[in-house]
Amino acid sequence: MSNRMWGGRFAEGPDAIMEEINASIDYDRKLYRQDIEGSKAHVRMLAAREIVAVEDAEKIAHGLDTIRSEIEAGEFTFSRALEDIHMNVESRLAELIGPAAGRLHTARSRNDQVATDFRIWVRDTLDTLDAQFADLIGALAERAEQHAGDVMPGFTHLQSAQPVTFGHHLMAYVEMFARDRSRMRDARKRMNECPLGSAALAGTSFPIDREMTAAALGFDRPTANSLDAVSDRDFIIEALGAASIASMHLSRMAEEIVIWCSAQFGFVTLSDKFSTGSSIMPQKKNPDAAELVRAKTGRIYGSLTALLVMMKGLPLAYSKDMQEDKEQAFDGLPSLSLALAAMTGMVRDLTPNTKAMKAAAGSGYSTATDLADWLVRVLGMPFREAHHVTGRAVAVAVERGVVLHKLPLAELQAIEPRITQDIYTVLSVDKSVRSRTSYGGTSPVNVRKQARRWLKALEREAARD
């Protein structure tokens, strides 16, 4: 029996194993909206160019609307024998309207069809992610403004370094996620070219209007090279690359939430909404939402790596290997979306323990740099000498078992006689953070200013939309 898709070239149908490895309908059915949208734009163009009769184009468009309704109502039967979403839709269209359905595929191939469908899906997904990034950035900026003056330890090497504010710490993630959002927007801009009309690889001899279909589908322009158009997948690779960087940032923040929730730190608590318990230890309250955000990073990295490896040895133009692209996209980008939603929820949910943070901020002699800066600023001491003097002061404080601002003046003057009572104006953690007024520094004034700047920018953006 001849395969009805391949016509007379094949005398027999595929082996069961061939059908199994060849079919993509189990996952590419997710493209049904994009496939129908692209087909309707294509047939409208064919009618406008008088390549198909208007009557046939209207039948096809009506049939496609019917198919979409059937799929969304759960009444459509997907067939693995028909391989993919394109042939499933076309086969059902033939059942609905008869021979006119066969005119839909004029001047196109499944190669440019799937490239178009997939670009629309990725573009739509990036738009959803863009809104989620804005939501997360807004949540972080709101919490940062609330806690602009609440002191916590700043770390390097996970060792107490200098006091910062909780608001300043949160604003660091605002900057990271804003860059992630920018990368996603750049990727969207680059990919917004329409492959439809490139046909199998060489274009078509029919007098089509690619500008018309590109505009109808919301693209900026048609792709300029038919070979590249059907064999390019760097649009999803770039999107997953940006997603991987974003997931790395999410994972870093998730890791900090896990640490902060521990009894040893006790900096924040998450409500029951974002925590789970233990099946054996009744006292446990685990930050599982943060842990799962951290874990999603590996899946997203995996999607990117799989696509890079899949594409690396493919000659132009289309190869069947490229069928493997969609599963990675359908897993990687939704994983990022879920992680963003979870992180935004946690940011709004968490309760900071400002008392514990402030107590920890004063540990580890975190105002030592403030002492060194005072020696430079007030006594005119070279910084390297000031660093040495401060190190001796810390050693004395360690020996006495006190924090720096509790070290008696006489002890400090024994190290450097020119030190005065004024030194105590910089040695407390509150005074330390208030002194960091350089642009981008941790002073509460700076943090409030930056948080408000971001919130106003998001408000203006929302008003434009």
Side-chain angles (χ1 to χ4, degrees):
M1 182 179 68
S2 169
N3 185 302
R4 62 175 170 170
M5 284 190 290
W6 316 135
R9 175 63 179 85
F10 287 75
E12 296 180 284
D15 186 89
I17 294 174
M18 179 60 195
E19 183 173 304
E20 179 68 22
I21 198 172
N22 198 42
S24 60
I25 190 60
D26 293 341
Y27 49 87
D28 72 14
R29 66 177 65 185
K30 289 185 179 181
L31 295 175
Y32 78 89
R33 289 189 186 90
Q34 293 79 13
D35 194 68
I36 290 170
E37 182 183 355
S39 290
K40 289 177 68 175
H42 181 65
V43 79
R44 283 195 299 269
M45 180 275 296
L46 293 177
R49 298 294 293 169
E50 299 182 351
I51 297 170
V52 302
V54 172
E55 181 182 354
D56 285 341
E58 289 175 350
K59 287 181 181 178
I60 290 169
H62 179 71
L64 290 170
D65 287 337
T66 300
I67 292 169
R68 176 170 179 160
S69 297
E70 289 177 349
I71 293 173
E72 291 177 347
E75 298 169 355
F76 188 93
T77 301
F78 291 98
S79 169
R80 298 186 88 245
L82 293 172
E83 290 190 20
D84 55 34
I85 186 61
H86 322 300
M87 298 310 300
N88 270 265
V89 168
E90 188 173 321
S91 177
R92 176 58 179 154
L93 186 63
E95 292 174 356
L96 289 171
I97 68 171
R103 301 191 183 280
L104 173 60
H105 212 53
T106 305
R108 77 173 183 185
S109 161
R110 284 193 298 173
N111 293 355
D112 62 336
Q113 186 179 358
V114 70
T116 303
D117 294 356
F118 198 20
R119 282 192 188 226
I120 296 172
W121 184 89
V122 174
R123 187 183 67 190
D124 292 347
T125 304
L126 293 186
D127 289 343
T128 298
L129 291 170
D130 184 77
Q132 288 186 282
F133 275 115
D135 196 24
L136 175 55
I137 290 167
L140 286 164
E142 286 169 5
R143 299 309 303 271
E145 186 176 20
Q146 293 166 8
H147 298 283
D150 290 321
V151 181
M152 69 174 290
F155 298 98
T156 61
H157 310 279
L158 204 55
Q159 304 295 312
S160 185
Q162 291 179 261
V164 296
T165 69
F166 187 51
H168 190 58
H169 198 110
L170 295 177
M171 287 303 297
Y173 284 105
V174 167
E175 297 293 331
M176 291 184 210
F177 294 129
R179 292 194 298 273
D180 293 326
R181 190 184 188 204
S182 176
R183 274 184 282 269
M184 290 289 188
R185 288 184 161 191
D186 286 346
R188 187 198 190 283
K189 183 177 181 180
R190 254 185 298 280
M191 64 160 283
N192 203 34
E193 297 182 346
C194 185
L196 196 59
S198 298
L201 74 162
T204 178
S205 59
F206 289 97
I208 61 174
D209 185 347
R210 294 192 63 206
E211 295 282 354
M212 179 180 175
T213 48
L217 295 171
F219 288 101
D220 295 330
R221 65 192 68 84
T223 51
N225 183 283
S226 59
L227 281 168
D228 176 56
V230 299
S231 62
D232 156 48
R233 290 299 182 270
D234 61 275
F235 63 90
I236 180 58
I237 291 172
E238 184 175 13
L240 284 170
S244 294
I245 298 172
S247 69
M248 175 267 292
H249 289 150
L250 286 165
S251 185
R252 293 182 72 183
M253 188 169 189
E255 171 71 4
E256 293 202 309
I257 291 174
V258 170
I259 292 171
W260 292 345
C261 282
S262 68
Q264 290 72 22
F265 273 72
F267 285 2
V268 303
T269 57
L270 289 171
S271 77
D272 295 351
K273 296 177 182 177
F274 290 93
S275 306
T276 64
S278 165
S279 63
I280 190 172
M281 296 171 284
Q283 83 282 9
K284 293 293 293 296
K285 187 174 184 180
N286 302 321
D288 280 9
E291 292 172 8
L292 289 165
V293 167
R294 190 173 57 187
K296 292 291 183 188
T297 304
R299 294 181 66 159
I300 296 166
Y301 288 179
S303 294
L304 172 62
T305 301
L307 282 185
L308 287 168
V309 173
M310 180 197 78
M311 292 295 296
K312 74 176 183 65
L314 300 187
L316 298 180
Y318 183 84
S319 295
K320 194 69 170 182
D321 310 50
M322 294 164 68
Q323 182 171 286
E324 296 292 312
D325 56 1
K326 283 164 253 359
E327 281 187 285
Q328 305 307 325
F330 294 160
D331 187 76
L333 295 184
S335 290
L336 176 63
S337 178
L338 182 56
L340 283 167
M343 184 58 73
T344 304
M346 284 187 285
V347 168
R348 291 201 166 104
D349 178 80
L350 63 81
T351 301
N353 183 345
T354 55
K355 187 175 180 180
M357 286 183 179
K358 186 171 183 178
S363 67
Y365 307 97
S366 62
T367 58
T369 304
D370 296 275
L371 172 55
D373 288 347
W374 186 91
L375 294 171
V376 172
R377 187 173 59 252
V378 177
L379 302 184
M381 191 178 290
F383 183 79
R384 284 302 168 201
E385 183 180 344
H387 187 283
H388 179 71
V389 170
T390 301
R392 289 170 60 196
V394 169
V396 172
V398 170
E399 185 179 336
R400 299 287 188 273
V402 297
V403 294
L404 272 178
H405 70 274
K406 296 292 185 180
L407 199 62
L409 181 61
E411 297 276 10
L412 291 168
Q413 290 176 332
I415 300 167
E416 171 49 64
R418 293 178 292 167
I419 293 176
T420 67
Q421 188 71 31
D422 183 63
I423 192 66
Y424 295 105
T425 65
V426 301
L427 290 185
S428 73
V429 292
D430 286 313
K431 290 171 181 175
S432 174
V433 297
R434 286 200 297 270
S435 74
R436 304 292 168 180
T437 56
S438 60
Y439 182 78
T442 190
S443 76
V445 171
N446 282 3
V447 174
R448 290 188 186 96
K449 189 179 296 184
Q450 290 290 347
R452 288 168 187 163
R453 177 176 69 85
W454 277 105
L455 290 170
K456 286 179 181 177
L458 291 171
E459 286 172 8
R460 287 194 298 269
E461 184 181 292
R464 286 195 304 269
D465 294 342

